[in-house]
Amino acid sequence: MTHVRADGSAHMVDVSGKAVTAREASARGRVLLSADAVAALRDGTVPKGDALAVARLAGIQAVKRTPELVPLAHPVAVHAASVDLDVADDGVDISATVRTADRTGIEMEALTAVSVAALALVDMVKAVDRHARITDVRVTAKSGGRSGDWVEP
């Protein structure tokens, strides 16, 4: 299957003939932060409030909006979504796992969760760290579907 027609134009692939299978995808990313921003997260003194909770909820909400943001992503029934943020000495590690039983993969939803959680975190800490940097957003695992299971090496 391809998202490009013979004439080179993009289109949404027809997945109606594919079997519904249980599918899962995980993604990760990082937000690099200053020592002051990390301390504010750990101490709960970020001026805007609970930055980690806001970022977690933003990531979960983003999963449900993926087809509105990624033009060729199919709307899928999201059955579970988790977003975790772990404060490290140089920033925050973000991970997301999304599950469905549908006809197409859910990798874009996992990537969207991590990306939007990272954006929300940057928004929450920008008063403390104007140089926050989002990095290393990637799919780390997927399962289900015709192509089977895959885990980041």
Side-chain angles (χ1 to χ4, degrees):
M1 278 187 216
T2 178
H3 285 82
V4 180
R5 294 185 182 127
D7 68 359
S9 63
H11 72 105
M12 183 181 272
V13 171
D14 181 357
V15 296
S16 61
K18 292 175 73 176
V20 171
T21 62
R23 297 164 184 266
E24 179 176 297
S26 297
R28 295 187 62 81
R30 302 198 80 219
V31 177
L32 299 176
L33 297 169
S34 67
D36 288 343
V38 169
L41 287 169
R42 287 183 170 152
D43 298 341
T45 58
V46 174
K48 282 189 165 184
D50 189 344
L52 300 175
V54 169
R56 181 177 303 106
L57 290 174
I60 292 168
Q61 183 66 28
V63 167
K64 300 181 276 183
R65 306 300 285 261
T66 299
E68 296 172 32
L69 302 169
V70 181
L72 299 180
H74 290 82
V76 295
V78 175
H79 295 134
S82 64
V83 177
D84 294 304
L85 295 97
D86 296 309
V87 180
D89 290 341
D90 62 346
V92 177
D93 294 311
I94 303 170
S95 60
T97 300
V98 185
R99 292 183 191 85
T100 189
D102 217 313
R103 290 179 165 83
T104 190
I106 200 151
E107 297 90 348
M108 292 301 103
E109 286 75 5
L111 287 167
T112 301
V114 169
S115 299
V116 172
L119 289 168
L121 183 63
V122 169
D123 180 53
M124 292 296 290
V125 302
K126 67 186 177 191
V128 180
D129 185 355
R130 295 186 187 278
H131 301 288
R133 186 171 44 145
I134 299 168
T135 185
D136 297 324
V137 176
R138 70 217 184 266
V139 174
T140 56
K142 70 164 267 335
S143 65
R146 188 183 64 212
S147 63
D149 298 352
W150 177 84
V151 177
E152 179 181 51

